[in-house]
């Protein structure tokens, strides 16, 4: 299937790989037809590869439902987005929709999808973050002219989703990996091992991803390798992660930390790209 350059992330996501694609592209297998990504997030790698067959998953159910709306109801989604102004009062009103669980359940999938995109485009630094109750809690961003309705990209992504054989899910990553068939390339972009006590961010879904989860993920990677399935994994370049994946091919790349409340701390940091192939 011919690639469409307009197919690109529609939301900004913590740890998104868009600014690292030039480093990652040379490390991908030369040909990817069947693809699996258990931690989809903003989907930069999926949209770069645009495989014909893909199994994509994220523990954030509302994010997955947003992608399904883009696939199935993109015109309705664009119309819904056009109803949201870049105003602080409106932002906080929309942000609070999920505080009333009963009313929130009655919203349509299109309304919920438009809410995610609107909040992502207008909140501070595009930071999707929820509290312990699973409620969006990032403040208003005060941007002069955010691109709330990017219709060309939304329609391009919808077109790709409709043409390709995509399977969406929102389940535990281990269940996704257990069902991967040989010949499928797996890209893993989990919540990163924190480089410091203050750098730990797991606020894009309820719950967390501590080192016991990092170990469980590495064990899943060992099983993929045993089954002869190619995988690539991104993570922070901590000693812990390097030790976990010491048996594999590790490449260090420099990523710009784009989301930090202190602008002076948005420099380049080392990340590792782990592969079980050359």
């Amino acid at each position: 299937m011919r690639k469409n350059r307009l197919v690109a992330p529609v939301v900004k996501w913590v740890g998104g790989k868009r600014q690292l694609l030039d480093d990652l592209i040379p490390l991908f297998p030369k040909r990817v037809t069947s693809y699996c990504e258990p931690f989809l997030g903003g989907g930069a790698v999926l949209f770069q590869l645009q495989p014909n067959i893909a199994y994509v998953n994220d523990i954030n159910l509302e994010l997955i439902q947003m992608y399904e709306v883009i696939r199935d109801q993109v015109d309705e989604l664009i119309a819904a987005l056009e109803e949201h102004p870049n105003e602080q009062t409106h932002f906080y009103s929309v942000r609070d929709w999920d505080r009333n669980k009963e009313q929130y359940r009655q919203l349509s999938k299109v309304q919920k999808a438009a809410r995610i995109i609107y909040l992502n485009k207008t909140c501070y630094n595009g930071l999707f973050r929820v509290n312990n109750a699973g409620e969006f809690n990032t403040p208003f961003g005060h941007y002069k002219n955010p691109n709330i309705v990017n219709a060309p990209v939304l329609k391009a992504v919808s077109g790709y989703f409709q043409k390709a054989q995509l399977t969406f899910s929102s389940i535990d990553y281990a269940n996704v990996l257990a069902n991967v068939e040989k010949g499928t390339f797996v890209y893993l972009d989990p919540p990163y091992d924190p480089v410091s006590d203050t750098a730990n961010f797991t606020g894009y879904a309820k719950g967390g991803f501590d080192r016991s989860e990092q170990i469980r993920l590495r064990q899943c990677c060992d099983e993929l390798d045993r089954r002869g399935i190619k995988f690539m994994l991104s993570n922070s370049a901590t000693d812990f992660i390097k030790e976990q994946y010491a048996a594999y091919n590790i490449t260090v790349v420099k990523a710009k930390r784009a989301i930090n409340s202190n602008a002076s701390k948005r420099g380049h940091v080392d990340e590792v790209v782990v592969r079980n192939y050359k």
Side-chain angles (χ1 to χ4, degrees), residues 129-153:
R129 185 186 65 197
V130 297
N131 58 24
N132 290 333
E135 300 164 343
F136 191 94
N137 67 348
T138 310
F140 185 60
H142 296 282
Y143 301 118
K144 288 184 178 179
N145 190 29
N147 191 6
I148 297 172
V149 189
N150 193 340
V153 168

Side-chain angles (χ1 to χ4, degrees), residues 67-215:
Y67 285 126
E68 291 175 337
V69 167
I70 292 172
R71 179 192 63 195
D72 301 331
Q73 297 174 277
V74 69
D75 291 331
E76 293 93 329
L77 174 61
I78 290 170
L81 281 168
E82 289 172 343
E83 297 176 2
H84 290 295
N86 179 36
E87 297 173 357
Q88 183 170 341
T89 301
H90 181 74
F91 171 89
Y92 284 111
S93 173
V94 173
R95 196 187 75 164
D96 287 349
W97 283 1
D98 61 3
R99 271 52 173 180
N100 186 320
K101 306 305 181 198
E102 183 56 38
Q103 285 187 2
Y104 190 69
R105 277 194 290 269
Q106 295 175 13
L107 294 177
S108 70
K109 287 184 178 181
V110 171
Q111 289 174 312
K112 291 178 181 178
R115 175 180 180 266
I116 286 183
I117 296 173
Y118 167 69
L119 293 178
N120 187 265
K121 299 292 186 181
T122 56
C123 74
Y124 178 73
N125 224 4
L127 175 61
F128 187 99
R129 185 186 65 197
V130 297
N131 58 24
N132 290 333
E135 300 164 343
F136 191 94
N137 67 348
T138 310
F140 185 60
H142 296 282
Y143 301 118
K144 288 184 178 179
N145 190 29
N147 191 6
I148 297 172
V149 189
N150 193 340
V153 168
L154 287 168
K155 289 184 177 181
V157 171
S158 179
Y160 165 60
F161 284 170
Q162 290 176 15
K163 290 177 183 176
Q165 298 178 44
L166 260 71
T167 301
F168 291 102
S169 63
S170 181
I171 58 177
D172 182 78
Y173 66 86
N175 293 333
V176 176
L177 296 175
N179 292 304
V180 172
E181 296 181 358
K182 195 167 183 178
T184 298
F185 171 61
V186 178
Y187 175 65
L188 301 142
D189 187 23
Y192 277 19
D193 185 47
V195 296
S196 67
D197 291 340
T198 58
N200 192 4
F201 180 84
T202 55
Y204 37 74
K206 285 179 67 177
F209 204 92
D210 59 17
R211 286 195 164 175
S212 66
E213 281 297 320
Q214 297 287 358
I215 292 170

Side-chain angles (χ1 to χ4, degrees), residues 43-61:
V45 172
L46 171 71
F47 297 142
Q48 172 63 35
L49 296 177
Q50 295 179 38
N52 295 319
I53 302 171
Y55 307 88
V56 291
N57 177 81
D58 199 279
I59 198 66
N60 189 316
L61 177 60

